[in-house]
Amino acid sequence: SLRNHEKFHEFQKIFYNENNDEIHYLYSLHTRSLNNNNVGIATINSSWRCKDSNTDSGNLVFPISILKNIANKLKDYDLRILLMHHPISDFKWFNSDIIEDVIFENFHLLFSGHVHKRKHSTHIANDEGIFCCVSPATLSMYKNNFNVGYTFLDVDIETLEIELCKREYSKQSNIFTDIESINVQIPL
């Protein structure tokens, strides 16, 4: 049931009203032009079948037909980005393999979260690669380890080079500080 998402869905329709974005219960599509490049951003609602954070891992599902439809709508975009709350590993085994194949073959960037550990990786699928960014909650306390921080990316759409800039909050100085900058190339 999507009943528990109705208020958020109404908010989305109002928030994105001035754009030509597609807003649906299970996904949204956002297209933008940036320096003469077309950027397609898709979000999927990986939470629609969630019941309990303690038991959801390995039990989530998402309709493959919808994901393929999203990928098809964005196929001609210069940069294709997918955002979802849960990592691919949280989906049921029969769903996760196909989800991974569709995402890795059709998107350049994948952003997900839900976990309490930062994980960045690149993968090669078909002709192009993908950069995957799994981020912990901004305010994350896990296993008595309190790390507040974030990562932002500077993406060169022409070359698909990425600069990852990681920042963490310093409780002593009461500011976010740069902790690391990494350059990554999405395989072409």
Side-chain angles (χ1 to χ4, degrees):
S1 171
L2 293 168
R3 198 170 307 205
N4 59 336
H5 297 264
E6 286 177 357
K7 294 284 185 195
F8 179 70
H9 186 67
E10 290 303 316
F11 163 78
Q12 279 185 302
K13 287 197 286 190
I14 294 166
F15 185 81
Y16 293 111
N17 186 37
E18 295 179 17
N19 299 310
N20 290 328
D21 300 320
E22 287 186 41
I23 308 299
H24 305 275
Y25 277 104
L26 291 179
Y27 71 96
S28 63
L29 289 175
H30 313 271
T31 56
R32 304 291 186 266
S33 181
L34 184 64
N35 299 328
N36 294 320
N37 292 293
N38 292 319
V39 178
I41 304 165
T43 68
I44 65 170
N45 182 353
S46 62
S47 302
W48 77 289
R49 298 297 295 165
C50 287
K51 292 188 335 186
D52 180 357
S53 286
N54 294 320
T55 59
D56 284 339
S57 183
N59 290 308
L60 303 181
V61 293
F62 192 82
I64 300 302
S65 60
I66 291 176
L67 187 59
K68 286 180 177 180
N69 185 40
I70 292 167
N72 189 50
K73 288 181 178 187
L74 299 179
K75 69 182 178 195
D76 295 324
Y77 282 76
D78 301 308
L79 181 65
R80 298 176 302 277
I81 303 169
L82 181 71
L83 293 91
M84 61 185 184
H85 179 76
H86 295 88
I88 294 172
S89 60
D90 276 9
F91 291 89
K92 283 192 171 282
W93 64 269
F94 61 83
N95 201 221
S96 65
D97 286 345
I98 301 169
I99 286 173
E100 181 178 286
D101 289 347
V102 173
I103 292 171
F104 282 24
E105 291 172 10
N106 293 285
F107 293 90
H108 298 108
L109 299 170
L110 169 62
F111 296 100
S112 63
H114 188 69
V115 297
H116 296 274
K117 184 177 180 182
R118 180 183 293 139
K119 182 179 176 182
H120 302 126
S121 58
T122 56
H123 305 272
I124 299 172
N126 290 340
D127 299 357
E128 297 178 315
I130 185 170
F131 175 76
C132 301
C133 180
V134 179
S135 295
T138 302
L139 304 173
S140 182
M141 184 185 290
Y142 184 65
K143 293 186 179 175
N144 297 323
N145 190 8
F146 187 65
N147 290 328
V148 178
Y150 59 92
T151 302
F152 68 88
L153 280 63
D154 183 4
V155 179
D156 184 322
I157 298 173
E158 305 283 328
T159 64
L160 293 180
E161 294 175 347
I162 302 171
E163 180 183 8
L164 284 124
C165 301
K166 298 179 185 178
R167 297 199 172 146
E168 281 189 359
Y169 178 72
S170 168
K171 194 172 184 178
Q172 289 177 329
S173 57
N174 198 29
I175 61 170
F176 283 92
T177 59
D178 294 334
I179 60 166
E180 188 175 21
S181 181
I182 300 171
N183 292 313
V184 177
Q185 174 71 52
I186 296 175
L188 295 173

